[in-house]
Amino acid sequence: MIDRFYREINYLRISVTDRCNLRCRYCMPSEGIKLLKHEDILSFEEIVDFTKIAVDMGITKVRLTGGEPLVRRGIINLVEAIADIDGIEDFAMTTNGTLLAEHAKSLADAGLARVNISLDTTDAERYQQFTRCGDIEQVFAGIEAAQIAGLNPIKLNCVAGHFSNQSDTESVKEFGRTNGLEVRIIQQMLFETGNFFVVEGGTGGDCEKCNRIRLSSDGKIRPCLFSDISFNTRQLGPKQAIQQAVTQKPETGGPCKHNWMHGIGG
Ligand code: SAM
Ligand code: SF4
């Protein structure tokens, strides 16, 4: 699919849930989160149907995200069903890693190719502060399990923002070097002001090269992370929702009304 600005759109990011077992300061408020009603969340069947149609239309790269994708019950079944779709060349997941120790092998067996794991510091106390409740040992165990399961290349997503300092970011870079993991440094994004940056070591944030569309857990397809434009796949049907999203994908992102990442998936 080619959009108005001659960008080839071939990358679909699917948020499978708005729920999460952490409360990262830059992603979610500590309380008062309005969670989606269960009936508003797309079923696995709807997600798989949507993905098949998207792949028929030219999507070759799929990433599962959230909220935390591994808190969605039955996630392995979804991974298996998506891995079965012919035409997907790259199938990945972004996870906070806390539940990976128990799921890494099943994910790999189900056909997931690789994972990005979020880690903003290697210091246990700082990690607990950033995530408000996280246990870093679970993430280290998750990374090891992903390595053993062969979910390669494993990339670490490290958000740098006003909450963190240089030694947090450096500690993750060093951890990456020691353990043979790629590290992507993501500057904290601010939706209200439209502040976003090109990801160091990655491809996100570069509007001219943007090849992405996003499906939220309640079935809205978004052509741009930094825009409020969305199309409802339940109302329009996947094909029309995708066509409209590609046709109306903005040239660049800007300030927007939604202000937390957990509902969209990053
Ligand atoms: N729960 C999973 C995780 O943390 O990896 C997947 C969902 S999370 C929303 C996806 C990515 O978005 C994570 O790497 C997270 O660090 C990043 N993220 C969340 N809020 C952000 C913000 N305000 N600015 C930049 N990155 C953000
Ligand atoms: Fe949860 Fe990921 Fe958001 Fe952290 S960044 S609160 S792990 S969804």
Side-chain angles (χ1 to χ4, degrees):
M1 291 177 281
I2 307 289
D3 78 355
R4 288 177 294 161
F5 306 101
Y6 306 103
R7 295 171 296 197
E8 186 181 357
I9 311 303
N10 56 13
Y11 182 9
L12 171 66
R13 295 167 75 106
I14 305 172
S15 173
V16 297
T17 178
D18 62 335
R19 269 87 170 152
C20 188
N21 56 345
L22 300 183
R23 289 285 178 276
C24 302
R25 290 175 185 277
Y26 47 78
C27 179
M28 281 195 188
S30 59
E31 47 193 40
I33 305 162
K34 275 198 215 125
L35 290 176
L36 293 169
K37 288 192 237 138
H38 278 285
E39 62 265 31
D40 290 336
I41 295 180
L42 294 183
S43 66
F44 285 170
E45 206 182 351
E46 285 175 302
I47 295 175
V48 173
D49 281 352
F50 182 96
T51 309
K52 280 184 185 155
I53 291 168
V55 170
D56 277 347
M57 293 171 76
I59 293 294
T60 56
K61 186 171 171 182
V62 174
R63 174 177 300 277
L64 301 183
T65 175
E68 172 49 42
L70 295 180
V71 303
R72 177 129 184 205
R73 210 175 314 147
I75 186 72
I76 305 297
N77 300 332
L78 178 68
V79 167
E80 205 162 28
I82 292 179
D84 262 357
I85 300 172
D86 274 342
I88 300 177
E89 291 162 15
D90 186 19
F91 184 25
M93 176 182 281
T94 302
T95 168
N96 62 34
T98 55
L99 302 172
L100 253 185
E102 76 190 78
H103 290 303
K105 185 173 183 314
S106 318
L107 288 169
D109 290 348
L112 188 76
R114 59 191 186 89
V115 285
N116 282 26
I117 301 170
S118 299
L119 187 66
D120 306 328
T121 179
T122 57
D123 182 90
E125 222 169 283
R126 303 271 297 158
Y127 183 79
Q128 214 273 337
Q129 288 165 7
F130 294 173
T131 57
R132 295 197 182 98
C133 54
D135 173 0
I136 203 166
E137 291 304 328
Q138 292 178 336
V139 187
F140 291 148
I143 292 171
E144 206 182 321
Q147 285 175 313
I148 293 167
L151 290 168
N152 296 314
I154 298 169
K155 298 182 186 176
L156 299 179
N157 284 2
C158 174
V159 176
H162 57 79
F163 60 91
S164 65
N165 59 40
Q166 214 180 343
S167 65
D168 293 313
T169 313
E170 284 306 321
S171 72
V172 177
K173 284 186 178 171
E174 179 55 33
F175 180 81
R177 274 192 293 274
T178 316
N179 292 282
L181 311 167
E182 286 178 39
V183 177
R184 301 158 76 249
I185 307 295
I186 306 168
Q187 296 302 322
Q188 184 179 358
M189 304 172 193
L190 296 171
F191 292 105
E192 301 95 317
T193 54
N195 269 6
F196 60 94
F197 309 87
V198 176
V199 170
E200 185 185 323
T203 53
D206 186 350
C207 299
E208 260 182 55
K209 295 193 186 132
C210 184
N211 59 351
R212 306 168 177 197
I213 49 175
R214 294 176 163 82
L215 179 66
S216 66
S217 49
D218 60 347
K220 312 252 173 60
I221 182 101
R222 287 178 177 273
C224 173
L225 184 57
F226 277 84
S227 157
D228 292 309
I229 303 173
S230 71
F231 301 92
N232 191 320
T233 175
R234 277 185 174 157
Q235 284 165 8
L236 296 167
K239 190 165 181 187
Q240 230 195 81
I242 294 169
Q243 264 164 358
Q244 293 200 21
V246 171
T247 311
Q248 294 188 46
K249 188 172 164 74
E251 186 169 15
T252 59
C256 36
K257 287 200 200 88
H258 65 82
N259 51 7
W260 296 105
M261 193 75 103
H262 70 96
I264 308 173

